[in-house]
Amino acid sequence: MKSLLVFIILTAAITSYSADDQKVKSGLFEVQNAQNQVNILFNEVNPQQQERVRYISQRLALAESYLQQSLNQYPNPPTPQPPPYQPPGSDVKVELFQSDSCQGDLIGIVNASTDCSKFSGAGNVWAIRVNGKCQDIDDTSAINACRLYQNAGNTQAVKVYKSDNCTDSLSGIFSTFSNCESLPNNGNNAWAIMVGNKCQDIADTSLTMSCRAFKAINSQRAVKLFHSDTCNESMVAAIDQNTNCETLLGLENVWAIQTNGQCQDVSDIDVVTACKRFKP
């Protein structure tokens, strides 16, 4: 990190003393190279360091725009854009198979950024393989499997099961970055969720509703709502400051909440009211 900053400072110093176009072009080339290195570095540091790298990227982009203006390439400076955030594991490949054992009939390979529409008409998927591990799934179309499992490589993803103990019947996987509306909203295919290595029983619901309800479950400030007085089962939702309470309409009533690991019995209320009342 320090060596990169020194390089950036030296580049700025060189270009500041440049009076002719050739030197400005050389300085512009060096700034662009530095920006490329910053983009690579962004995905290799922890989230706290990413904010510092993002700031450096913005300053480089601004410096680049000034140099480009000096060469009359742009009448107006472009808006500096930070490197896009990549969720952990978003580049992990998820293989889709028309085989319960992942031994043959590979339908396709997807990840979090895949455009699933390209799998229209590609056949059905019976199993997925992530990091060498095969997982049998309920048979579904390739386009649907892509939408359901493309986030499987995300280490912060939430796995949804049509099973109270998370041992079989993987229904789908979503993350903070998922479009919940692209998931099936018919039937009660979500009975439990797995976050990390912990299985949590939830109030039975659809995949779409489970995505809306538990997108915030990894948030440090999340407040968990339960259809249970003891907070041991039937979790209804996990909410934070970004939760849209109205989207939870239709979920079970709330009997207790859990915040900072402490369970608190509450007067039984509907989930939307509970969300608005206890939202952090």
Side-chain angles (χ1 to χ4, degrees), residues 105-121:
D105 297 321
L106 177 66
I107 298 293
I109 300 175
V110 303
N111 62 24
S113 60
T114 299
D115 177 8
C116 295
S117 63
K118 69 181 183 181
F119 287 99
S120 178

Side-chain angles (χ1 to χ4, degrees), residues 212-214 216-217 219 221-225 237-243 245 248 271 274-280:
R212 294 175 185 170
F214 298 107
I217 198 162
S219 171
R221 299 185 61 191
V223 175
K224 298 174 182 177
L225 313 180
I239 61 174
D240 68 1
Q241 67 275 15
N242 297 316
T243 301
C245 296
L248 305 182
V271 66
C275 176
K276 292 178 179 178
R277 185 175 299 176
F278 300 111
K279 190 174 177 179

Side-chain angles (χ1 to χ4, degrees), residues 4-109:
L4 177 60
L5 289 174
V6 170
F7 176 73
I8 294 169
I9 293 170
L10 287 174
T11 301
I14 291 170
T15 55
S16 67
Y17 288 106
S18 301
D20 60 272
D21 281 359
Q22 187 56 47
K23 288 184 178 180
V24 173
K25 288 178 181 178
S26 297
L28 181 59
F29 176 76
E30 295 298 337
V31 169
Q32 290 170 338
N33 279 342
Q35 181 68 278
N36 290 335
Q37 293 301 312
V38 167
N39 290 341
I40 294 172
L41 181 65
F42 186 83
N43 292 318
E44 297 178 354
V45 298
N46 62 46
Q48 290 181 336
Q49 292 173 323
Q50 282 178 347
E51 290 305 313
R52 297 177 63 187
V53 175
R54 193 191 305 274
Y55 173 78
I56 294 170
S57 175
Q58 291 172 339
R59 305 310 297 176
L60 278 173
L62 191 59
E64 181 182 352
S65 71
Y66 289 147
L67 288 171
Q68 289 171 333
Q69 283 183 81
S70 70
L71 293 174
N72 297 319
Q73 293 183 14
Y74 294 100
N76 297 305
T79 302
Q81 296 294 327
Y85 175 71
Q86 296 292 327
S90 60
D91 58 342
V92 174
K93 295 178 180 178
V94 181
E95 299 170 287
L96 311 179
F97 288 89
Q98 194 173 55
S99 159
D100 291 329
S101 59
C102 305
Q103 294 300 311
D105 297 321
L106 177 66
I107 298 293
I109 300 175

